[in-house]
Structure formats: structure tokens, C-alpha cells
Amino acid sequence: MNNRIYVETSKQAKKTYNLRKNENGYFCIDDPNPPYKGVRGKGSVKIHEDINFNVPIAEKIMVKYLGNIDHPMAKALLDMQKKGQSVVLEISPKYYSTWDYSKQ
């Protein structure tokens, strides 16, 4: 799982639909709070639908952004994963650039 970015999203999302037609996509991950920093680029995307693969990754995402898997939003999103209503997108960056205004 090195050099990959994982995103959890709905199986019915427009981005999932578009990625089924074209596996290449752009990404941008940025901190909305000053000092601004982030990364953006382009990569190939694989759509994972295997619940056994997706749930552990989704749990890590929930812990990172919600603090734990007991958070009500985490429970709802994990329930969708377990029911097969969500997918995990695996982005393999082909190129990227970064910015970090804290170094100015």
C-alpha cells in the first residue's frame, strides 16, 4: 500500500461513475487553515468493491478524520461499506506537486 492515496466514497457517486469510464483522475489534498499547504496531481485510480479489503481502510480513514470508529458519522459510513454501498478508490500518483506556505 505504499505510494497510494485511499478515498472512501459512495458506489453511486458521480466520481465513481466517471472513474469506471476513465481510470485516470486528478487529486488535490489541502489544509484549509493557514498556513496553507497541500499536494495535487494526477494518477490512475482503481475502484475496490471487496468489503474485506475496504472496511479496514475505511476504519483507518474514520480514525484519522473523526477520532474513532465509535463516532456517529464513522458508524454510518462503515455501515455503508459493510453493506457494499461504498467503495474505496486507490489512487496511484503518476505525478504531483506540493506547496507549503508555512516555510515562507
Side-chain angles (χ1 to χ4, degrees), residues 1-7 44 46 48 89-93:
M1 287 195 239
N2 293 333
N3 301 318
R4 307 282 193 271
I5 300 167
Y6 293 92
V7 178
S44 60
K46 180 176 181 182
H48 290 280
L89 307 177
E90 179 183 270
I91 305 168
S92 298

Side-chain angles (χ1 to χ4, degrees), residues 21-74:
K21 296 190 300 183
N22 180 357
E23 70 175 22
N24 293 306
Y26 293 89
F27 60 90
C28 179
I29 305 165
D30 55 358
D31 186 344
N33 303 306
Y36 302 113
K37 57 188 167 194
V39 60
R40 70 177 130 222
K42 182 178 181 180
S44 60
V45 182
K46 180 176 181 182
I47 300 170
H48 290 280
E49 298 188 57
D50 179 3
I51 294 167
N52 295 318
F53 180 86
N54 292 356
V55 169
I57 291 173
E59 287 176 344
K60 288 180 183 178
I61 293 170
M62 300 310 144
V63 169
K64 169 128 176 96
Y65 293 101
L66 299 173
N68 60 59
I69 59 173
D70 294 323
H71 187 285
M73 179 62 74

